[in-house]
């Protein structure tokens, strides 16, 4: 068996995936400001918005600011689409995670439409979100996202996002 036909060690694959995800996340300053992180399980991402006093919009209730909730859902939708769209190139090594970490990111989809439905008050605690790409073509993609806190079956908000896919280079 030649060295080329041998599967890569799992640690190498995990490092490449983690480095690529980290590069995508650090490329968006607002993600750092809100301290959003992503739990990666294979090709599935769960976004985590940790509680912080700065995300409270109404201190009387207290409730997470609606703009923060919307941004959290948009970031989740955007990162899930990016991750899904780039997955094959990340897995094959065609995208260099080290180059990405240095700021050389591929052209990424752009948000063209975003709609949020607020379902419950976001309480002063951690929130979680997942998104699902419902359509991804050459020019256009559609993504649905959902955020919850203590119970996944009781979402605090859901969103639908539409993205313009980048044209192939060349």
């Amino acid at each position: 068996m030649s060295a080329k036909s041998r599967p890569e060690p799992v640690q190498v694959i995990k490092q490449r995936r983690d480095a690529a995800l980290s590069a995508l996340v650090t490329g968006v300053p607002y993600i750092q400001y809100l301290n959003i992180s992503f739990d990666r399980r294979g090709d599935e991402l769960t976004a985590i918005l940790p509680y912080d006093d700065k995300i409270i919009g109404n201190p009387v209730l207290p409730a997470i600011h609606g703009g923060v909730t919307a941004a959290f859902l948009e970031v989740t939708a955007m990162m899930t689409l990016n991750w899904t769209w780039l997955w094959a190139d990340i897995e094959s090594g065609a995208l260099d995670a080290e180059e990405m970490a240095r700021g050389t990111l591929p052209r990424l989809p752009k948000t063209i439409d975003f709609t949020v439905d607020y379902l419950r008050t976001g309480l002063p605690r951690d929130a979680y979100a997942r998104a699902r790409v419902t359509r991804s073509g050459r020019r256009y993609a559609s993504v649905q996202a959902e955020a919850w806190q203590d119970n996944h079956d009781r979402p605090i908000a859901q969103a639908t996002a539409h993205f313009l896919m980048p044209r192939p280079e060349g």
Side-chain angles (χ1 to χ4, degrees), residues 17 21 38-47 79-80 83-84 87 129-132 148 152:
R17 289 175 182 168
L21 180 59
F38 289 85
D39 179 35
R40 181 190 56 74
R41 300 284 183 238
D43 67 345
E44 182 181 71
L45 299 177
T46 301
M79 293 306 298
T80 299
W83 190 247
T84 302
W87 178 257
R130 283 196 191 121
R132 182 172 57 91
W148 70 95
H152 188 263

Side-chain angles (χ1 to χ4, degrees), residues 69-75 77 111-116 145 159-163:
T69 301
F72 181 48
L73 285 167
E74 185 175 7
V75 162
T111 306
I112 55 175
D113 181 64
F114 187 77
T115 305
V116 180
T160 301
H162 300 105
F163 295 88

Side-chain angles (χ1 to χ4, degrees), residues 103-118:
T104 307
L105 294 173
R107 292 178 54 207
L108 299 171
K110 304 288 184 209
T111 306
I112 55 175
D113 181 64
F114 187 77
T115 305
V116 180
D117 295 321
Y118 298 96

Side-chain angles (χ1 to χ4, degrees), residues 7-168:
E8 287 182 289
V10 70
Q11 299 89 339
V12 171
I13 295 169
K14 284 183 177 182
Q15 286 173 343
R16 185 170 57 240
R17 289 175 182 168
D18 290 342
L21 180 59
S22 176
L24 289 170
V25 169
T26 57
V28 182
Y30 197 54
I31 292 175
Q32 274 90 54
Y33 176 74
L34 292 177
N35 203 24
I36 297 170
S37 62
F38 289 85
D39 179 35
R40 181 190 56 74
R41 300 284 183 238
D43 67 345
E44 182 181 71
L45 299 177
T46 301
I48 303 157
L49 173 66
Y51 173 74
D52 189 316
D53 286 340
K54 72 183 175 190
I55 68 172
I56 296 298
N58 184 341
V60 175
L61 290 177
I64 296 175
H65 191 283
V68 171
T69 301
F72 181 48
L73 285 167
E74 185 175 7
V75 162
T76 302
M78 177 181 65
M79 293 306 298
T80 299
L81 177 60
N82 292 342
W83 190 247
T84 302
W85 184 58
L86 298 174
W87 178 257
D89 288 340
I90 292 168
E91 286 299 286
S92 70
L95 271 178
D96 185 344
E98 290 177 15
E99 281 294 314
M100 289 175 66
R102 286 192 286 273
T104 307
L105 294 173
R107 292 178 54 207
L108 299 171
K110 304 288 184 209
T111 306
I112 55 175
D113 181 64
F114 187 77
T115 305
V116 180
D117 295 321
Y118 298 96
L119 307 172
R120 289 182 177 70
T121 300
L123 301 172
R125 56 186 67 140
D126 294 354
Y128 309 92
R130 283 196 191 121
R132 182 172 57 91
V133 178
T134 56
R135 179 193 188 284
S136 182
R138 288 180 302 139
R139 299 177 68 193
Y140 171 85
S142 182
V143 182
Q144 293 180 336
E146 186 174 72
W148 70 95
Q149 288 183 307
D150 298 326
N151 183 340
H152 188 263
D153 293 329
R154 293 181 46 84
I156 60 171
Q158 61 189 15
T160 301
H162 300 105
F163 295 88
L164 181 63
M165 301 302 285
R167 293 183 180 186

